[in-house]
């Protein structure tokens, strides 16, 4: 019996099992087995040898964004508009057959945008190239789920189900549970469901932010546009008419949680044309490592101008937390 058959059998048994206190333990074991088998679906096949057609794209830039969605929702057009990369676009399904990387240049940062082939219902079970697509999506910092505004919530629910089945949790935080397998130590720091506990034990879950982008809003009414725009984590756009793309970039920047830091040499003006891009919450030590790996060991103190200080400039140490668009001058020993 293959993995797909085992998954199907377990799902059927879960569906026909009554949920009560007497069956909680049995259901927990079934869900744990189900999570294990679904994780195995992402493991590469030893017999597969599709050289030159792979999806393992080298991670580059300051962040990676995975662009996923059903065929013909406008992903390729979006990539062409946002980057200098030309991704073939067409009115027919499955135009994109390989993973196409592009780069969005925004606020001094280089954001790698991956236009993944359109995935369909059943991708987690290996239909089409869904398995490879989802494997790449797991390496992203943020997921942009491109949806057709004319097709309502059907596409969104199907894609969420597919991603959930292979361990990608969207807009959820990792359960605050300490688990040490060898000693069997478990510490719950918050209330968690049995499914969340199983996720921690299996250890194959990836938690990442997701922006739901509804394209083709020029084909629906203003009332429908307003309804979609008010949904959490959602942005409405039209690639065809180039509507609301600037706001989408602003939202993407927030979800990536990036920070621009400018450097300054003694007696000179700050270098505003060349920013250091770091994650929110980065310290002076992180800045030192980004400039040169040996700089932290030679560090004496730093002068910082910006919103992270009470006054400008302020003398700070390695543990000082930097904020967006701060200016730093590092003094060595």
């Amino acid at each position: 019996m293959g993995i797909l058959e085992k998954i199907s059998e377990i799902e059927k048994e879960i569906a026909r099992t009554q949920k009560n206190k007497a069956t909680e333990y049995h259901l927990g074991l079934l869900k744990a087995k189900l999570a294990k088998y679904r994780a195995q679906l992402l493991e590469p096949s030893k017999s597969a040898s599709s050289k030159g057609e792979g999806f393992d794209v080298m991670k580059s830039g300051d962040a990676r964004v995975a662009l996923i969605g059903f065929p013909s929702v406008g992903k390729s057009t979006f990539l062409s508009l946002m980057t200098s990369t030309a991704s073939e676009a067409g009115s027919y399904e499955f135009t994109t057959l390989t993973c196409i990387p592009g780069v969005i240049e925004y606020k001094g940062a280089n954001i790698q945008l991956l236009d993944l082939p359109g995935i369909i219902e059943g991708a987690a079970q290996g239909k089409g190239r869904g398995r490879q697509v989802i494997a790449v999506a797991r390496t992203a910092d943020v997921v942009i789920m491109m949806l057709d505004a004319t097709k309502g919530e059907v596409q969104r629910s199907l894609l969420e189900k597919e991603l959930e089945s292979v361990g990608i949790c969207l807009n959820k935080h990792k359960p605050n549970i300490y688990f040490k397998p060898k000693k069997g130590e478990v510490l719950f720091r918050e209330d968690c469901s049995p499914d969340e506990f199983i996720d921690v034990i299996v250890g194959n879950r990836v938690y990442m932010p997701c922006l739901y982008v509804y394209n083709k809003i020029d084909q629906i009414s203003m009332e429908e546009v307003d309804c979609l725009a008010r949904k959490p984590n959602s942005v409405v756009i039209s690639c065809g008419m180039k509507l609301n793309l600037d706001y989408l970039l602003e939202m993407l920047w927030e979800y990536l949680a990036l920070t621009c830091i400018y450097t300054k040499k003694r007696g000179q003006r700050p270098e505003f044309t060349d920013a250091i891009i770091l994650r929110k919450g980065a310290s002076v030590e992180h800045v030192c490592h980004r400039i040169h790996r040996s700089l932290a060991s030679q560090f004496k103190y730093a002068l910082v101008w910006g919103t992270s200080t009470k006054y400008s400039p302020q003398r700070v140490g390695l543990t000082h937390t930097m904020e967006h668009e701060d200016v730093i001058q590092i003094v060595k020993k």
Side-chain angles (χ1 to χ4, degrees):
M1 185 183 292
I3 294 178
L4 294 179
E5 290 78 10
K6 291 178 181 178
I7 289 176
S8 179
E9 288 297 320
I10 293 174
E11 287 177 339
K12 289 177 183 177
E13 187 171 352
I14 290 175
R16 64 173 176 258
T17 302
Q18 292 185 351
K19 296 180 180 179
N20 52 54
K21 289 186 177 180
T23 61
E24 278 182 357
Y25 179 75
H26 179 62
L27 284 171
L29 290 177
L30 290 176
K31 289 178 179 179
K33 287 182 180 178
L34 189 61
K36 180 181 178 181
Y37 288 138
R38 282 175 173 169
Q40 290 177 7
L41 283 175
L42 282 179
E43 295 177 2
S45 176
K46 294 180 180 179
S47 60
S49 59
S50 54
K51 294 182 180 179
E53 294 283 345
F55 291 82
D56 190 13
V57 180
M58 183 178 293
K59 198 166 186 176
S60 64
D62 302 297
R64 168 179 277 190
V65 176
L67 182 62
I68 67 170
F70 280 85
S72 302
V73 295
K75 299 189 309 300
S76 298
T77 305
F78 177 75
L79 182 84
S80 300
L81 289 172
M82 294 291 102
T83 73
S84 58
T85 304
S87 180
E88 184 184 354
S91 58
Y92 50 92
E93 295 189 349
F94 299 104
T95 307
T96 303
L97 297 177
T98 56
C99 181
I100 301 175
V103 176
I104 299 174
E105 297 179 359
Y106 188 67
K107 292 187 177 181
N110 291 324
I111 303 168
Q112 186 182 47
L113 180 65
L114 299 183
D115 177 18
L116 301 174
I119 66 176
I120 58 175
E121 186 179 4
Q125 279 69 45
K127 287 186 180 180
R129 294 184 178 175
R131 193 182 302 181
Q132 298 99 314
V133 172
I134 292 170
V136 174
R138 287 172 64 96
T139 67
D141 300 300
V142 169
V143 169
I144 288 182
M145 186 182 290
M146 187 75 75
L147 304 164
D148 189 332
T150 65
K151 297 184 179 179
E153 296 298 285
V154 177
Q155 290 185 342
R156 175 172 169 171
S157 60
L158 288 173
L159 287 173
E160 285 179 333
K161 182 180 178 182
E162 288 298 309
L163 296 178
E164 184 80 21
S165 68
V166 289
I168 299 178
C169 298
L170 303 177
N171 297 324
K172 295 179 181 178
H173 73 277
K174 186 176 181 180
N176 195 359
I177 301 175
Y178 170 78
F179 174 62
K180 198 166 186 177
K182 289 185 178 180
K183 293 186 178 180
E185 294 178 356
V186 180
L187 175 61
F188 288 84
R189 296 190 174 98
E190 63 181 8
D191 293 334
C192 295
S193 67
D195 289 340
E196 290 175 327
F197 182 48
I198 291 171
D199 291 344
V200 172
I201 294 175
V202 176
N204 69 332
R205 290 289 179 184
V206 177
Y207 299 84
M208 62 178 66
C210 174
L211 265 176
Y212 301 100
V213 178
Y214 293 89
N215 188 25
K216 305 181 183 179
I217 59 170
D218 52 298
Q219 300 178 23
I220 60 177
S221 67
M222 286 301 297
E223 289 77 12
E224 290 173 311
V225 172
D226 183 66
C227 181
L228 291 175
R230 293 179 183 275
K231 291 181 178 293
N233 310 304
S234 300
V235 178
V236 293
I237 66 167
S238 171
C239 290
M241 299 185 69
K242 300 180 181 179
L243 298 176
N244 216 30
L245 297 178
D246 290 342
Y247 177 68
L248 172 56
L249 283 178
E250 291 179 16
M251 290 291 292
L252 179 60
W253 180 264
E254 289 186 18
Y255 275 60
L256 287 170
L258 297 177
T259 303
C260 291
I261 308 296
Y262 301 107
T263 58
K264 177 187 178 302
K265 294 181 180 178
R266 185 175 181 179
Q268 298 183 18
R269 294 178 62 84
E271 297 180 8
F272 290 118
T273 56
D274 189 17
I276 295 175
I277 309 299
L278 297 169
R279 297 286 177 183
K280 276 188 180 177
S283 65
V284 172
E285 187 173 5
H286 290 117
V287 177
C288 291
H289 288 310
R290 179 62 66 89
I291 296 173
H292 195 277
R293 58 187 178 185
S294 65
L295 185 57
S297 61
Q298 302 170 7
F299 179 87
K300 186 176 182 181
Y301 65 88
L303 295 174
V304 176
W305 294 257
T307 56
S308 69
T309 60
K310 294 181 180 179
Y311 44 88
S312 296
Q314 181 175 327
R315 183 168 168 166
V316 299
L318 285 172
T319 58
H320 177 77
T321 302
M322 305 293 290
E323 292 186 5
H324 185 54
E325 295 186 340
D326 276 357
V327 176
I328 184 171
Q329 176 186 325
I330 296 174
V331 179
K332 296 191 291 186
K333 294 177 181 177

